Amino acid sequence: MELLISAGRVLTGPGGECVDDGAVLVSGGSIAAVGTRDEVEQVAPDGVRRASFPEGTVLPGLINCHVHLAFDAGPDPITSLQEADNTSLLLGMAGRAQQALAAGVTTVRDLGDRGGLSVRLRDAIAAGVLPGPRILAATAPLTPPGGHCWFLGGEVSGEEAIRDRVRRNAASGADVIKVMATGGSLTKGGAATWQSQFTTEELHAVVAEARRAGLPVAAHAHGADGIAAAVAAGVDTIEHCTWMVDGGFELRADVVADIAAKEIHVCPAASHNWRRFAEYFGTERAEQLFGQIRWMAEQGVRLVVGTDAGVPGSVFDGFVGALELYEHLGLSLDRVIDMATTDAARALGIDADTGRLAAGYRADLLVVDGDPLRDLSALHATRLVMAAGRPYGNGAVDGS
């Protein structure tokens, strides 16, 4: 479709770059023009459909760097997954993808599912069969026998099995390789959250085999030792990065310096429920954890936003609430928005065609009431969402 969207401001990104009284011309699945309303009007075809939001803001579609569409965000998502057949699970995943899209999220990176269902859903959305955000799929995450998220089918033991699993994931259509470098609280009976699950040499094997397939590597790593090993192995992103040790935290300045120098992106994967962390673990421990994120940002670590959507309580339409954590930590609003758009696109390797509003880019965008550069809560007031040029929901697309 062709659509001319005008608004009080167009946030093109990055760094809060904004066009007042701006417009975006969408043609098919791409952006044809961006600029002032007068400039875009001059190149718009006669009779083009219009949507006007004089008090609103157009900005790039949001990117959630860490979700699990196979999990239902209920109190026991693992049992729900294990009891579901593939057909019902896929339907649930499609519904959750639409929840994310309705909240302005036009790209999600799914970091672990069962049976490659995220690839099937990705392809159906890309073909226009189903509405939804762009999906980057990891398929089955690599984990030791009985390790974190073993039930997703990615159990491996030894370098030969690791390389074989990476090759099989790539052959099944994976966009990214996920490895569980440490344990996690979601898996009963496995390694403790802070404990390493792979040696540095094994993580090197993951990265090397992924590179042969042309794929990036995302490492789930809570423990300080696991984080250090993942950095040494050369992964592309570190998920969680909480610096846990037995009984507390141990932030390692030398490893943080390596993360920054190697331009490894860190996704804390904090959900919209981040305020409740203090209720569960105590105010002092919560402030220590949040302080680590702040300090990494100050040291030049490239942070991006993900929510671990699908785990208990982390719903798929809660992305904006998760952004508020970084405002709480003192980051400027333009940086927070970049972390969910331009920076996220760079971390995921898709910055050549999304993450900002520019001619030739995918038409991934949303329109909100108000100005999110002044008040982040404006992102809750979604008026229109487009993913690859397809409008979703009840947003106005024929003038107002």
Side-chain angles (χ1 to χ4, degrees):
M1 69 177 295
E2 288 188 318
L3 177 67
L4 192 154
I5 305 168
S6 60
R9 65 205 62 80
V10 175
L11 178 58
T12 56
E17 184 178 328
C18 194
V19 178
D20 291 328
D21 192 18
V24 178
L25 178 63
V26 174
S27 180
S30 301
I31 295 171
V34 180
T36 66
R37 184 167 51 83
D38 289 344
E39 290 170 341
V40 178
E41 286 276 9
Q42 290 177 17
V43 299
D46 293 338
V48 66
R49 298 179 73 185
R50 299 169 185 272
S52 177
F53 304 92
E55 304 301 321
T57 300
V58 188
L59 68 153
L62 304 174
I63 299 173
N64 191 334
C65 293
H66 191 136
V67 308
H68 295 279
L69 290 164
F71 297 161
D72 65 6
D76 188 2
I78 306 312
T79 298
S80 297
L81 176 141
Q82 292 174 326
E83 292 179 349
D85 60 32
N86 280 353
T87 298
S88 59
L89 183 57
L90 186 58
L91 287 172
M93 292 169 66
R96 291 187 278 275
Q98 290 178 38
Q99 291 172 16
L101 183 62
V105 175
T106 57
T107 299
V108 299
R109 183 175 58 156
D110 187 291
L111 288 180
D113 80 292
R114 187 185 75 192
L117 294 179
S118 56
V119 171
R120 291 175 57 185
L121 181 58
R122 176 198 68 193
D123 293 347
I125 291 171
V129 175
L130 293 172
R134 179 184 197 167
I135 295 174
L136 301 179
T139 68
L142 279 69
T143 195
H148 184 47
C149 288
W150 62 268
F151 41 79
L152 295 178
E155 291 176 296
V156 292
S157 181
E159 289 191 21
E160 183 177 345
I162 285 170
R163 292 180 182 276
D164 179 66
R165 180 77 253 180
V166 172
R167 289 192 292 267
R168 284 193 286 155
N169 282 6
S172 71
D175 300 294
V176 56
I177 299 301
K178 170 75 173 297
V179 59
M180 300 298 194
T182 72
S185 59
L186 198 62
T187 304
K188 297 178 181 178
T193 304
W194 54 270
Q195 288 181 319
S196 295
Q197 296 198 133
F198 293 100
T199 66
T200 303
E201 291 72 25
E202 288 172 329
L203 293 176
H204 271 291
V206 174
V207 173
E209 201 61 46
R211 294 289 182 268
R212 289 189 182 93
L215 298 177
V217 176
H220 161 108
H222 281 286
D225 289 340
I227 293 167
V231 172
V235 303
D236 297 275
T237 68
I238 300 173
E239 313 302 309
H240 307 292
C241 201
T242 51
W243 302 99
M244 286 186 178
V245 293
D246 190 7
F249 301 105
E250 185 182 278
L251 182 59
R252 300 181 184 176
D254 59 332
V255 181
V256 171
D258 281 347
I259 292 172
K262 293 181 177 181
E263 299 185 353
I264 297 171
H265 288 80
V266 169
C267 177
S271 79
H272 73 294
N273 288 322
W274 58 270
R275 293 177 182 85
R276 299 191 65 184
F277 192 90
E279 297 177 20
Y280 295 129
F281 300 104
T283 300
E284 182 177 348
R285 192 173 183 189
E287 286 305 314
Q288 186 177 359
L289 177 60
F290 296 154
Q292 291 177 167
I293 298 173
R294 182 189 298 111
W295 192 80
M296 285 192 289
E298 292 169 349
Q299 301 310 303
V301 171
R302 300 180 178 214
L303 298 177
V304 293
V305 185
T307 65
D308 215 0
V311 303
S314 184
V315 294
F316 287 83
D317 56 0
F319 187 74
V320 176
L323 291 180
E324 293 166 356
L325 166 63
Y326 304 98
E327 180 182 17
H328 170 75
L329 296 179
L331 277 64
S332 65
L333 294 188
D334 62 308
R335 182 172 181 182
V336 174
I337 292 172
D338 283 352
M339 286 166 53
T341 54
T342 56
D343 293 347
R346 187 179 304 113
L348 274 51
I350 54 175
D351 52 313
D353 72 350
T354 196
R356 64 181 67 200
L357 301 181
Y361 274 56
R362 281 170 52 107
D364 293 340
L365 58 86
L366 70 152
V367 183
V368 298
D369 286 330
D371 182 358
L373 290 174
R374 295 178 178 272
D375 182 358
L376 199 60
S377 67
L379 293 175
H380 289 289
T382 303
R383 296 290 305 278
L384 172 66
V385 180
M386 297 191 81
R390 303 185 188 105
Y392 181 77
N394 298 318
V397 294
D398 56 358
S400 60

